Amino acid sequence: MLKLESVTKHYGSITALDQVSLDIARGEFFGLLGPNGAGKSTLMSLVAGLRSPDAGALSLDGATLSAQSAATRRDLGLVPQHIALYPRLTAEQNLRIFGGLQGLGGVLLRSRINEALQAVGLDDRRRDQVQTFSGGMQRRLNLAAAILHRPKVLLCDEPTVGVDPQSRNAIFEYLERLNDDGLTIIYSTHYMEEAARLCSRIGIIDHGKLLALGTLDELLTQLPFEEEIRFPATDKTAELASRLKDQGDVALVEQTHCFRPRAGFRLSSFYALTESHGLAPRLFATQRPSLEALFLHLTGRTLRE
Amino acid sequence: MHALLVLLRKDFTNFFHNKAAVLLTFFVPFAMIYVFGQVFGVTKTDGGPSGIPLAVVNDSKDPGALQLVNALKAEKTFSVITEFTPPQHASRALTETDLEPLMHDNKFRFAVVIPSDLVKADQLGVHLKIYSNPRNEIETQMVTGVLQKTIFSTVPQLLGQSLQSHARTSVGDQRLKHFNRSIAENIASTFGGNADDITRQIEQGNFAPASAALTGASPGTTLDKAPAAFSNLLTQLVQIETRQVSGQDVKSPAATRIVGGFAIQFLLFALSSSAAALFYERDRGIFQRILAGPVSRSQILWSKFLYGSALGLLQLVVLFVGGRLLYGIDIENHLGYLSLVCVVTAAACTAFGMVLASVASSMEAASGLATFVILLMCSVGGAWFPVSLMPHAIQQLSKLTIVYWAMEGFDQVLWMNASFHDLVPTLGILIAITVAVMFVAVWRFNRGNLFE
């Protein structure tokens, strides 16, 4: 449905996107995961037609996507990273403006506004100025404004930045419902938890290059280990962490040691080691490796760096 | 104390990292002082305006008339026009009938007619005509003052010569010489001085010694230093017929003269702020959202242009209605043409605001730049001070400003009661400015980062 072929974009001497190719199918919930400055927003802006690529091509259902292709862009909806709303206007007035710009009007626009406001839980605040809303409410309205015209593809550029957990969940649930109804969603984020929860397929991007692409399971198989053992980083566990380096990689992520064992590692030997250091089993958690681990594995640095 | 110093350093560091703030604080005032100095001619050593067009029609054969023309030509305030070139005809001397149409076309706003009866045979005195179009009060007062000074410093001698000539014809050369000599001796014996010098001056038509004697001044006092009583005497002898060519029927002359300047200033500030609001929408990501739909950059820009023009028009309507209610400015009799000028002026000012926004990188930079350029345009364009009184180079520069042409349009409609035909060039120039400036603005916006 949405196709990117060897798309390259430079800003002066900086290469924001380097020969990125992607093929996103109809109804997919595609996640674009990468740290800040990785090229996610550039990719989103190219798809949205806000910029033109220096090389390569983008198409939606076979039609070229570019800054000049206004008709094709009618099939897109963009949820910008910013809260792109007029704060002095009411929620309803904002939606009327953005719906009108998409060519909606009259009864159809009114019914779409009603639907959208109900869907994001803001129906009772429709006549309030947006500047009186909480950050989470503004984010929800920001999302509602992008789907009034029922686009084929919804581009969400880090739509939950600065959002409280309750509003974040509301946004996730709404997006999942939209996706269940058949809407194709491209969701850029630097939160691996969001990508893991929402996305059926994930592309990991860094320094403008698409490093890995696939479902969560497919991505995780690229790791040279199948599980990860986590334990708190304390004075007592420091020596253990040091000893474990002989048997795998040990990374320190937010006051937690993440031990990723090499092939042939035996769990019994691990517990023997912890016992010899007098460490209680409750300190250790064995879990499936995360996208964070994959990113670390692919780039040598964490997503939050 | 330490915290205070840190906070102080923080403010200075922030300030010097803000290029727009540094420019506004240091460069802009310096530039404004320089420009205002040029506009008001403070750098000139001789002072006063120069080169104001003054038409002079000389219908008199009296040699004194030529003397008056030469005196006007020698006055640096004026650029004397004595010839006229009708379309597809050879140049010829100006006539009195040429004056009103040419003044209506704003070729000049002041004219002196030296009629054939400059010196009347049947009565003592000099007859002159002054035509004026007092659309600018400061200019009119200044020109009238200089004109009177020139006339009154030339005419007395002219008058004296006339008297001598008249007397020579009547009583003969010998008797006149005797008469002059006896007057001179009387003056010399009563008030002092050399009788030969006084005789020579009287024969040249210079009656200053006689007048000085009459008013108690010492003999030999030059005319321009003569007491006020002498001037009053001359004023009674010089009959100046004045004729106002335009604006005679204007109901509220003072308010009508200034309304254009005020209107354009308000408009420029309001519409520049409005254009600078483009950055607000950019910074909030609103343009991203809009452009991700079936809307083009050009549509956004032209909608802003139309919005600004409509807002400007509305502001002008409010301003003129206010002028009508408060000061009685006559708008109802000029509604059609005034609306036309308002529309093109609002459009030109909007385009100006947009081009400023297109070259600025942020709302703050656009506002700072707008303040600087608007003050510059208002001073150079004549919103504060008559253009005709500015140095020649600044006068040429003023014609490149929207302020000049907008004020010209308002003056033409409200003061000159201009026809559509008269208005066309002014409207055309304002439209041309709008198109050119919008072209630059759209080009700059499409190349800049406003939509990214």
Side-chain angles (χ1 to χ4, degrees):
Chain A
M1 181 187 196
L2 179 68
K3 200 165 187 173
L4 281 77
E5 293 169 283
S6 302
V7 171
T8 300
K9 179 73 185 173
H10 302 284
Y11 297 120
S13 59
I14 298 166
T15 303
L17 283 180
D18 190 5
Q19 302 246 328
V20 172
S21 294
L22 260 178
D23 205 342
I24 296 168
R26 192 178 304 277
E28 214 177 326
F29 202 136
F30 182 82
L32 200 57
L33 180 68
N36 291 328
K40 303 187 299 294
S41 290
T42 298
L43 193 146
M44 294 296 244
S45 68
L46 290 175
V47 175
L50 303 175
R51 294 186 175 99
S52 296
D54 296 326
L58 298 95
S59 62
L60 180 65
D61 285 336
T64 302
L65 273 174
S66 72
Q68 285 74 41
S69 55
T72 315
R73 291 204 306 274
R74 202 179 285 274
D75 293 331
L76 299 171
L78 174 69
V79 185
Q81 202 169 351
H82 299 87
I83 296 171
L85 301 165
Y86 294 101
R88 290 192 193 92
L89 304 187
T90 66
E92 192 173 348
Q93 285 170 326
N94 268 283
L95 295 185
R96 201 174 297 141
I97 288 168
F98 294 117
L101 286 171
Q102 293 289 352
L104 302 177
V107 180
L108 179 64
L109 178 59
R110 274 201 297 279
S111 72
R112 294 279 178 87
I113 289 172
N114 292 341
E115 280 173 30
L117 286 172
Q118 280 166 11
V120 296
L122 291 171
D123 194 33
D124 56 335
R125 301 291 303 271
R126 62 192 304 149
R127 289 192 176 84
D128 291 345
Q129 287 186 325
V130 170
Q131 63 189 0
T132 65
F133 288 8
S134 70
M137 289 161 75
Q138 291 185 7
R139 284 276 170 203
R140 281 185 272 155
L141 189 63
N142 204 33
L143 171 58
I147 48 95
L148 285 170
H149 60 295
R150 296 198 177 151
K152 289 180 183 171
V153 178
L154 183 65
L155 307 168
C156 301
D157 190 6
E158 306 204 37
T160 58
V161 173
V163 173
D164 59 279
Q166 192 184 349
S167 286
R168 182 176 296 204
N169 275 332
I171 289 171
F172 289 167
E173 283 167 16
Y174 184 47
L175 288 173
E176 282 167 338
R177 276 206 309 277
L178 290 170
N179 184 240
D180 289 344
D181 291 343
L183 179 66
T184 307
I185 298 174
I186 303 177
Y187 189 98
S188 88
T189 182
H190 61 267
Y191 297 125
M192 58 172 184
E193 304 84 357
E194 290 188 357
R197 169 179 167 173
L198 295 169
C199 304
S200 52
R201 205 157 61 105
I202 298 165
I204 296 178
I205 189 169
D206 192 33
H207 291 127
K209 283 182 184 292
L210 198 59
L211 302 177
L213 183 65
T215 63
L216 185 60
D217 289 338
E218 286 167 352
L219 288 172
L220 293 180
T221 57
Q222 295 183 28
L223 281 167
F225 53 91
E226 290 178 356
E227 60 277 302
E228 186 176 72
I229 300 171
R230 291 180 169 239
F231 54 96
T234 63
D235 291 343
K236 284 185 178 176
T237 59
E239 196 188 335
L240 172 68
S242 174
R243 294 277 299 274
L244 284 172
K245 284 178 182 169
D246 296 337
Q247 301 178 52
D249 294 326
V250 181
L252 184 63
V253 180
E254 294 174 352
Q255 299 302 310
T256 303
H257 288 300
C258 300
F259 171 55
R260 285 120 192 190
R262 287 194 202 101
F265 168 76
R266 293 177 61 150
L267 203 55
S268 57
S269 65
F270 174 77
Y271 282 114
L273 197 60
T274 58
E275 234 177 70
S276 68
H277 282 80
L279 297 167
R282 67 172 184 279
L283 291 173
F284 302 94
T286 305
Q287 61 182 54
R288 190 184 186 206
S290 64
L291 286 168
E292 177 73 51
L294 178 62
F295 190 80
L296 186 69
H297 172 70
L298 292 171
T299 66
R301 58 198 182 93
T302 66
L303 264 170
R304 287 166 184 78
E305 276 176 22
Chain B
M1 189 62 188
H2 175 72
L4 190 70
L5 288 173
V6 171
L7 289 170
L8 196 62
R9 193 170 70 179
K10 174 264 300 176
D11 285 336
F12 273 109
T13 308
N14 270 328
F15 172 78
F16 283 109
H17 276 83
N18 185 342
K19 285 178 190 163
V22 172
L23 273 176
L24 274 176
T25 309
F26 300 116
F27 172 73
V28 171
F30 182 81
M32 294 308 291
I33 288 168
Y34 176 76
V35 172
F36 291 160
Q38 294 297 311
V39 167
F40 296 117
V42 296
T43 53
K44 291 199 297 185
T45 50
D46 52 354
S50 62
I52 297 173
L54 174 74
V56 176
V57 175
N58 184 5
D59 289 337
S60 171
K61 293 191 167 51
D62 194 297
L66 194 61
Q67 203 174 333
L68 177 57
V69 174
N70 288 337
L72 290 169
K73 282 182 176 171
E75 175 55 59
K76 71 167 186 59
T77 305
F78 301 123
S79 168
V80 170
I81 302 163
T82 55
E83 295 203 326
F84 168 55
T85 310
Q88 297 166 345
H89 286 83
S91 180
R92 60 167 172 77
L94 267 175
T95 65
E96 193 173 349
T97 50
D98 294 330
L99 296 180
E100 285 201 33
L102 290 171
M103 288 177 83
H104 199 75
D105 290 346
N106 207 24
K107 301 291 183 200
F108 44 82
R109 285 192 284 278
F110 302 93
V112 173
V113 176
I114 305 171
S116 55
D117 61 346
L118 170 69
V119 179
K120 295 185 176 179
D122 56 344
Q123 63 183 84
L124 186 61
V126 174
H127 178 213
L128 288 170
K129 291 182 189 173
I130 294 178
Y131 284 62
S132 70
N133 173 9
R135 61 192 264 185
N136 188 295
E137 201 163 5
I138 300 171
E139 179 192 57
T140 305
Q141 285 177 358
M142 191 168 277
V143 167
T144 309
V146 177
L147 209 50
Q148 284 181 355
K149 186 198 88 177
T150 312
I151 290 169
F152 286 132
S153 61
T154 311
V155 165
Q157 191 146 347
L158 217 165
L159 198 59
Q161 284 173 358
S162 169
L163 275 172
Q164 289 288 309
S165 168
H166 193 69
R168 193 172 287 114
T169 314
S170 303
V171 298
D173 192 45
Q174 281 304 314
R175 292 180 73 180
L176 179 65
K177 275 186 177 169
H178 178 73
F179 175 75
N180 288 342
R181 180 69 192 179
S182 61
I183 288 176
E185 282 172 354
N186 269 331
I187 291 170
S189 65
T190 310
F191 300 103
N194 186 309
D196 291 338
D197 290 343
I198 296 171
T199 304
R200 195 164 47 252
Q201 288 190 46
I202 290 173
E203 283 173 352
Q204 288 169 359
N206 184 357
F207 283 80
S211 172
L214 285 171
T215 53
S218 59
T221 306
T222 55
L223 184 72
D224 56 347
K225 290 177 185 168
F230 180 59
S231 292
N232 291 340
L233 175 70
L234 290 175
T235 310
Q236 289 162 18
L237 292 173
V238 180
Q239 186 200 345
I240 297 177
E241 197 181 315
T242 56
R243 183 175 169 78
Q244 185 176 332
V245 173
S246 294
Q248 311 92 306
D249 304 324
V250 171
K251 287 176 186 165
S252 180
T256 303
R257 283 184 184 113
I258 60 168
V259 69
F262 275 102
I264 188 78
Q265 283 178 76
F266 287 134
L267 209 57
L268 283 169
F269 276 111
L271 296 180
S272 297
S273 302
S274 161
L278 283 164
F279 292 104
Y280 171 82
E281 289 182 84
R282 178 195 69 177
D283 296 342
R284 291 191 72 90
I286 290 173
F287 285 151
Q288 284 194 358
R289 182 193 287 287
I290 294 173
L291 288 168
V295 179
S296 68
R297 293 175 176 202
S298 296
Q299 283 173 312
I300 293 178
L301 290 175
W302 286 109
S303 74
K304 288 285 172 196
F305 172 75
L306 291 174
Y307 162 72
S309 300
L311 188 69
L313 187 61
L314 201 60
Q315 193 184 22
L316 285 174
V317 168
V318 170
L319 203 116
F320 279 110
V321 169
R324 171 71 187 87
L325 296 175
L326 294 172
Y327 305 111
I329 293 172
D330 179 12
I331 55 171
E332 55 269 37
N333 289 316
H334 307 289
L335 219 48
Y337 294 159
L338 185 61
S339 304
L340 265 179
V341 175
C342 286
V343 168
V344 293
T345 300
C349 290
T350 306
F352 163 79
M354 291 189 71
V355 84
L356 285 188
S358 76
V359 297
S361 56
S362 65
M363 191 184 286
E364 292 77 18
S367 300
L369 189 63
T371 305
F372 173 62
V373 181
I374 291 170
L375 292 180
L376 190 76
M377 282 212 304
C378 287
S379 62
V380 171
W384 303 337
F385 191 67
V387 171
S388 58
L389 306 185
M390 296 175 193
H392 182 71
I394 303 286
Q395 288 188 32
Q396 298 305 310
L397 195 64
S398 72
K399 289 177 183 163
L400 299 176
T401 66
I402 293 170
V403 173
Y404 177 90
W405 292 106
M407 285 183 61
E408 185 70 18
F410 289 127
D411 275 354
Q412 279 181 298
V413 172
L414 296 174
W415 185 264
M416 306 278 288
N417 201 15
S419 65
F420 179 73
H421 181 262
D422 296 332
L423 267 180
V424 165
T426 307
L427 295 175
I429 288 169
L430 282 170
I431 291 168
I433 290 174
T434 307
V435 171
V437 170
M438 268 310 284
F439 178 80
V440 175
V442 171
W443 175 72
R444 282 282 314 170
F445 277 131
N446 281 322
R447 282 172 60 92
N449 62 358
L450 186 74
F451 296 119
E452 291 184 347

